Amino acid sequence: MRVMAQMGMVMNLDKCIGCHTCSVTCKQAWTNRAGTEYVWFNNVETRPGLGYPRRHEDQEKWRGGWTVDGRGRLRLRAGGRLKKLLTIFSSPVQPEIKDYYEPWTYDYATLVDAPLGDDFPVARPKSLITGEDTKVTWSANWDDNLGGGPEHAPFDPIVERLRAESNEKIKFEFEQTFMFYLPRICEHCLNPSCMASCPSGAIYKRSEDGIVLVDQDRCRGWRQCITGCPYKKIYFNHKSGKAEKCTFCYPRIEVGLPTVCSETCVGRLRYLGLFLYDADAVTAAASVPEQELYEAQMDLLLDPNDPEVLREARAQGIPEDWLDAAQRSPVYALAKKYRVALPLHPEYRTMPMVWYVPPLSPVVDLLTEQGHDAESTATLFGAIEALRIPIEYLAELFTAGDTEVVDGVLRKLAAMRAYLRDITLGRDPDDSIPASVGMSGEELYEMYRLMAIAKYEERYVIPKAHVEQAHDLEEMGCSLDYDEGPGMYDSGPLGEASGRPAPVAVETFHALRQRQTSDEATTEESLRGRVNLLNWDGNGRPDGLFPKRRS
């Protein structure tokens, strides 16, 4: 057993109101610059819906994540090293700009500076890629609030799969009462397929806290990571020629602050904390049959109060205050102790570390509209049993199709509502309610405190980085300090570029700068340590273009 620490996040979907504050603040902090106009490290999707990029869950098309071969060994769905070598200069299995959306701004100059006349000036939408007039047809949340809408919902990959398996049994009536928001960030997986897909070795997982980052100095823009990520949470910066992704706001995490999306969340639905896990068991857990993946992932999470786990953790150099944080971790409590938080798409076999508490509100809202007592135990439990289709949808999202797990979670949430209502109204608590879901009254009340009325310091239990780790935590190639990073451009009053179209760079930023600033051929020194064909600007044939012959 090799104990390692992993920062994780839990989101309570019952609390998400779809305001997109998390997306906007993340955008302002990380991707409000040229080259990343279409990039949303955090986005909020309406489910059922197409998601962002469109139909990213269709792995038959996008070939993301892992699969198991006939010998029970993990293999990248997009192919191994040989296939990647053969297709390294052409990676067609990845979303195009139309699958995201063509980012646009408006011609504010025409609107503001138009001379006095009989006609009203119009701020036409202009593409931030080409600078030409464009027609706005899609965006990161185009189907916002349209869950169950006949235009988009039938093309949700999960809905398609459920309808095919049920032979048209599933109708769209359920979606009229079953709509919820799904905020998504990078999953910072224990078994990241993006990292395994990168030919340059630029993607790495930090050993101290498990955060997955992209080394901007090593990234060569092959874009194999975009294909490999089944969640499509890695993006290509078309100006720098580099891949970028959610950083879990690691500069904030290192000083004990929550991520920007968590800090600014209106619904207070996010929890941050530490998991302890057995690193030696990750590959075996990711290789089990699909129906066992959820339990295998749960078995990876170690009890931070177990003396043997603590002894091994200390032997691995995990500091005492980190172990204390792991014992107080809200994400461990929700995912492992109470078992109400579930991983997103465990069937991708990446072992994701962003967890979700599935929504119970659609059930409650339906009962209330029908005139029932929506907080009654018998009524709630009966509704959960009757509304099988929503459970099947949630199971496809969170448990690789295991409806029993989702049913158990919804029953715990329903029991918490009913049990706490009696206490709030001054009645004697009914101990049969927690017993019906395998919990005690004290455990149910503790779960209620964490999910409903937890304070700031209870929702975010983040141990600070240690001074002695400072050198290891230096991210010399991260997106904070390289030329295209946040804060490296003047920002106008209306945001990055403020209506000025951003140029498209086919080459990487370094080659583009060389071409713009020099009339001479690219020097050997400027090509040293870089992928020559990607950075060669076509001007002459420098000595460093090909490796030197050995004598």
Side-chain angles (χ1 to χ4, degrees):
M1 177 172 63
R2 181 160 60 101
V3 178
M4 296 188 73
Q6 169 76 42
M7 283 301 303
M9 179 184 288
V10 169
M11 302 190 211
N12 185 354
L13 298 183
D14 252 344
K15 292 184 175 183
C16 186
I17 61 174
C19 65
H20 299 274
T21 304
C22 53
S23 300
V24 173
T25 51
C26 175
K27 184 73 173 173
Q28 290 294 328
W30 290 101
T31 59
N32 186 25
R33 49 200 160 85
T36 60
E37 297 89 350
Y38 76 103
V39 174
W40 296 85
F41 287 169
N42 182 110
N43 69 290
V44 182
E45 300 172 359
T46 300
R47 306 311 298 261
L50 301 188
Y52 182 75
R54 278 185 269 194
R55 293 176 58 84
H56 66 273
E57 292 162 309
D58 184 3
Q59 302 312 327
E60 294 300 319
K61 177 179 181 181
W62 301 123
R63 315 299 294 169
W66 302 87
T67 186
V68 176
D69 64 14
R71 298 182 179 180
R73 295 178 300 183
L74 279 178
R75 292 288 184 267
L76 288 170
R77 189 182 291 271
R81 293 182 180 180
L82 179 59
K83 184 174 182 179
K84 290 189 176 301
L85 181 62
L86 294 174
T87 60
I88 196 168
F89 291 107
S90 175
S91 300
V93 188
Q94 58 184 278
E96 301 175 8
I97 194 67
K98 65 181 180 181
D99 297 305
Y100 298 101
Y101 68 102
E102 186 165 2
W104 75 90
T105 186
Y106 293 97
D107 188 4
Y108 294 111
T110 300
L111 184 66
V112 174
D113 300 333
L116 184 65
D118 295 332
D119 300 323
F120 287 101
V122 176
R124 295 180 181 275
K126 287 186 175 294
S127 169
L128 281 172
I129 303 296
T130 65
E132 303 295 330
D133 289 347
T134 187
K135 183 178 181 181
V136 180
T137 58
W138 197 262
S139 75
N141 61 333
W142 191 261
D143 51 358
D144 191 23
N145 293 343
L146 294 178
E151 184 177 357
H152 301 306
F155 302 103
D156 180 330
I158 296 179
V159 171
E160 283 186 348
R161 184 160 59 248
L162 289 176
R163 296 184 75 179
E165 292 174 356
S166 303
N167 194 23
E168 295 299 318
K169 175 184 176 182
I170 296 175
K171 306 297 182 183
F172 277 99
E173 283 82 358
F174 87 88
E175 289 157 358
Q176 296 171 10
T177 57
F178 181 64
M179 185 199 81
F180 66 96
Y181 302 107
L182 182 73
R184 291 202 308 119
I185 65 171
C186 168
E187 298 288 327
H188 295 275
C189 308
L190 298 182
N191 185 37
S193 53
C194 61
M195 185 172 71
S197 300
C198 178
S200 305
I203 301 179
Y204 63 101
K205 187 173 179 64
R206 302 207 309 185
S207 59
E208 58 274 2
D209 54 17
I211 295 175
V212 178
L213 297 174
V214 181
D215 185 336
Q216 295 292 309
D217 286 334
R218 299 187 66 177
C219 178
R220 300 291 177 260
W222 297 117
R223 288 180 265 190
Q224 298 281 1
C225 55
I226 300 175
T227 301
C229 175
Y231 305 98
K232 293 297 175 277
K233 275 299 172 182
I234 297 188
Y235 302 90
F236 183 69
N237 183 321
H238 61 77
K239 185 171 185 182
S240 69
K242 307 285 188 177
E244 296 191 28
K245 62 179 292 299
C246 160
T247 66
F248 214 76
C249 290
Y250 73 84
R252 295 174 59 91
I253 294 294
E254 288 172 6
V255 295
L257 294 175
T259 62
V260 170
C261 59
S262 301
E263 182 82 82
T264 58
C265 176
V266 173
R268 300 181 180 179
L269 61 96
R270 301 188 187 225
Y271 300 79
L272 290 169
L274 274 184
F275 290 110
L276 297 180
Y277 71 98
D278 183 2
D280 289 337
V282 171
T283 301
S287 305
V288 301
E290 190 169 292
Q291 61 272 21
E292 301 174 16
L293 280 168
Y294 168 70
E295 288 298 334
Q297 184 165 348
M298 296 300 290
D299 292 341
L300 279 178
L301 307 181
L302 302 175
D303 183 356
N305 296 297
D306 187 332
E308 183 181 352
V309 171
L310 293 175
R311 183 166 53 252
E312 181 62 26
R314 294 186 180 105
Q316 297 294 329
I318 299 179
E320 288 296 327
D321 57 334
W322 280 52
L323 297 179
D324 175 68
Q327 293 171 341
R328 297 182 292 111
S329 172
V331 296
Y332 175 82
L334 293 172
K336 185 68 180 283
K337 183 179 179 181
Y338 303 127
R339 289 194 171 229
V340 292
L342 304 171
L344 182 64
H345 288 299
E347 69 272 18
Y348 297 161
R349 301 180 184 274
T350 60
M351 301 287 133
M353 283 291 109
V354 177
W355 304 67
Y356 296 87
V357 179
L360 184 67
S361 294
V363 180
V364 177
D365 294 342
L366 175 62
L367 293 173
T368 303
E369 291 172 3
Q370 293 177 346
H372 299 292
D373 182 358
E375 305 293 342
S376 168
T377 312
T379 307
L380 260 180
F381 280 14
I384 292 171
E385 182 65 29
L387 295 175
R388 300 300 300 174
I389 296 175
I391 291 180
E392 291 174 357
Y393 189 92
L394 293 173
E396 290 291 333
L397 269 178
F398 301 124
T399 59
D402 190 344
T403 56
E404 290 187 9
V405 174
V406 177
D407 183 80
V409 171
L410 294 180
R411 287 179 180 274
K412 287 180 181 179
L413 298 177
M416 182 182 72
R417 283 177 181 255
Y419 185 74
L420 266 297
R421 185 182 71 158
D422 288 341
I423 295 177
T424 303
L425 295 178
R427 303 172 185 167
D428 292 333
D430 184 357
D431 291 332
S432 66
I433 296 177
S436 67
V437 292
M439 300 178 69
S440 66
E442 291 78 8
E443 289 177 325
L444 212 55
Y445 186 77
E446 289 174 3
M447 187 172 81
Y448 157 75
R449 280 196 56 83
L450 182 58
M451 297 185 67
I453 58 175
K455 303 295 184 182
Y456 185 93
E457 61 275 7
E458 295 173 308
R459 289 185 285 120
Y460 308 133
V461 181
I462 307 168
K464 296 181 180 180
H466 279 235
V467 175
E468 61 270 21
Q469 293 179 317
H471 182 70
D472 295 334
L473 291 170
E474 289 177 356
E475 310 299 340
M476 299 307 294
C478 87
S479 55
L480 282 177
D481 57 8
Y482 77 105
D483 289 327
E484 302 292 338
M488 297 298 174
Y489 290 91
D490 295 331
S491 182
L494 299 171
E496 169 64 38
S498 294
R500 300 186 302 275
V504 177
V506 178
E507 304 86 350
T508 64
F509 170 75
H510 299 282
L512 181 64
R513 180 168 57 184
Q514 175 73 17
R515 175 180 293 187
Q516 292 173 338
T517 58
S518 176
D519 295 329
E520 300 176 359
T522 304
T523 64
E524 178 181 0
E525 188 60 33
S526 66
L527 288 171
R528 190 181 303 279
R530 299 193 179 277
V531 181
N532 298 328
L533 291 178
L534 286 181
N535 291 276
W536 180 39
D537 62 6
N539 185 7
R541 196 176 100 171
D543 294 336
L545 181 60
F546 301 106
K548 293 182 178 180
R549 288 183 178 180
R550 293 183 179 180
S551 58

